[in-house]
Amino acid sequence: MSLQDEGDGFTRLQASSSVYRFLMGPNKGKKALVLKTVGQDHSSNQGLVVKANGFSLHAEVSCKAEERKKLERICRYIARPAIGEERLSVNQKGQVVYKLKKAYDDDTTYIMMEPIELLEKLSAIIPRPRVHLTRFHGILAPHDKHRKLVVPKSPKVEERTKALTEVKVLTLQQQLLEKKKKQQRMSWARLLKRVFGIDVETCGGCGGKMRIIAAVEDPQVIKKILDHLGLTSTPPLVKAARGPPISEWGDDQQTFFEE
């Protein structure tokens, strides 16, 4: 399967542009026609310059804080357009001729292509929608755990971060206090022992510590267990409510309550 058959149209267009070939037009699959001038001065290869895997890096340009004009030149260089219109022309055959500002390492000074091929190359450098144009690597990457140590924060962000930290500390302290209060509450077993003198945590036979192994709620199962242990499984009868007792005053007291 060829490169032109893979991916969508924009991906194939970018892929062909990365290998310096055309995807459409009369020169489909070929490279652009170039004109070379022998004896060019390649000063860009001197100094702190490195080229590897099709990429080049020039690390000799520096600018101090007070060098505003030099900083402006660097900004203009970074924000320069894709092509310089003053170096773009059309020859007698209707081909687009682009003059390079500086010759390539192979002494290339002019590039010629068809108009449709120029549009193809310009389309390849258009970024996709909703794609970050600036990407950071290493400690400057968005999810690096040490990024906050090197990226300065504005005073407003620091104040907001400090306020959030204080709120989190107060919330944590409140949670610890509530947990401590819950731990200080007496258990139901201790309450039984304290109020009724019933120690359900100590075995009456061996004196060892007892623990809950099950909670039986089914009335039939409860009756069966109590009958097996020889205990009363029938609940006591609840007597009907009665009125207040008659005192030594007799009928006068009864009349008083009836009124």
Side-chain angles (χ1 to χ4, degrees):
M1 182 180 294
S2 63
L3 181 64
Q4 287 79 5
D5 297 333
E6 298 180 358
D8 55 17
F10 193 75
T11 301
R12 290 186 285 113
L13 190 148
Q14 289 182 322
S16 61
S17 181
S18 63
V19 293
Y20 307 102
R21 299 184 183 276
F22 296 113
L23 183 65
M24 56 187 69
N27 297 318
K28 180 178 180 180
K30 299 181 180 179
K31 293 185 177 181
L33 179 63
V34 299
L35 299 178
K36 300 182 179 181
T37 302
V38 181
Q40 294 292 324
D41 180 19
H42 301 287
S43 58
S44 60
N45 293 335
Q46 302 174 2
L48 300 178
V49 180
V50 62
K51 293 186 177 182
N53 301 325
F55 294 91
S56 61
L57 176 63
H58 194 288
E60 198 171 14
V61 178
S62 62
C63 178
K64 297 181 180 179
E66 65 274 7
E67 296 178 332
R68 309 305 295 178
K69 291 185 177 181
K70 190 173 183 180
L71 179 61
E72 180 182 355
R73 290 199 302 269
I74 295 176
C75 293
R76 287 180 178 273
Y77 174 77
I78 296 175
R80 70 191 189 281
I83 58 175
E85 296 182 2
E86 67 278 1
R87 291 184 274 114
L88 194 64
S89 60
V90 180
N91 60 13
Q92 297 180 352
K93 296 183 179 180
Q95 295 176 320
V96 178
V97 181
Y98 187 68
K99 180 182 178 181
L100 302 178
K101 186 176 181 179
K102 291 185 179 180
Y104 288 162
D105 294 345
D106 59 354
D107 297 325
T108 299
T109 53
Y110 291 89
I111 300 177
M112 293 190 300
M113 63 189 76
E114 298 295 331
I116 186 66
E117 295 170 348
L118 174 62
L119 294 178
E120 175 187 335
K121 295 303 179 185
L122 293 177
S123 301
I125 62 177
I126 298 176
R128 290 177 177 268
R130 295 177 295 279
V131 173
H132 295 290
L133 302 183
T134 304
R135 299 182 181 182
F136 297 95
H137 178 71
I139 196 172
L140 294 177
H143 297 290
D144 191 274
K145 60 181 180 180
H146 300 301
R147 175 182 169 86
K148 60 182 179 181
L149 300 178
V150 297
V151 178
K153 296 181 180 180
S154 62
K156 293 183 178 179
V157 174
E158 291 183 355
E159 292 177 0
R160 185 166 61 250
T161 304
K162 183 178 180 181
L164 291 175
T165 304
E166 293 177 354
V167 171
K168 290 181 179 179
V169 171
L170 292 175
T171 304
L172 182 59
Q173 290 178 350
Q174 185 177 2
Q175 292 177 354
L176 291 176
L177 289 175
E178 293 179 355
K179 185 178 180 180
K180 189 175 181 180
K181 289 180 180 179
K182 291 181 179 179
Q183 292 177 351
Q184 292 176 351
R185 294 177 181 176
M186 297 181 65
S187 63
W188 62 271
R190 291 182 61 189
L191 288 173
L192 284 175
K193 183 178 180 180
R194 181 175 181 179
V195 177
F196 301 102
I198 303 175
D199 189 1
V200 297
E201 295 182 331
T202 304
C203 178
C206 64
K209 188 174 181 60
M210 301 180 65
R211 60 186 179 87
I212 299 176
I213 59 175
V216 182
E217 299 180 355
D218 190 352
Q220 295 181 359
V221 178
I222 295 174
K223 184 178 183 304
K224 186 176 181 180
I225 294 175
L226 293 176
D227 293 340
H228 176 74
L229 296 175
L231 302 176
T232 303
S233 61
T234 304
L237 297 177
V238 179
K239 296 183 179 180
R242 62 178 180 83
I246 300 176
S247 66
E248 58 183 1
W249 295 327
D251 296 339
D252 295 338
Q253 185 69 17
Q254 183 69 25
T255 305
F256 172 78
F257 282 106
E258 289 177 355
E259 292 177 358

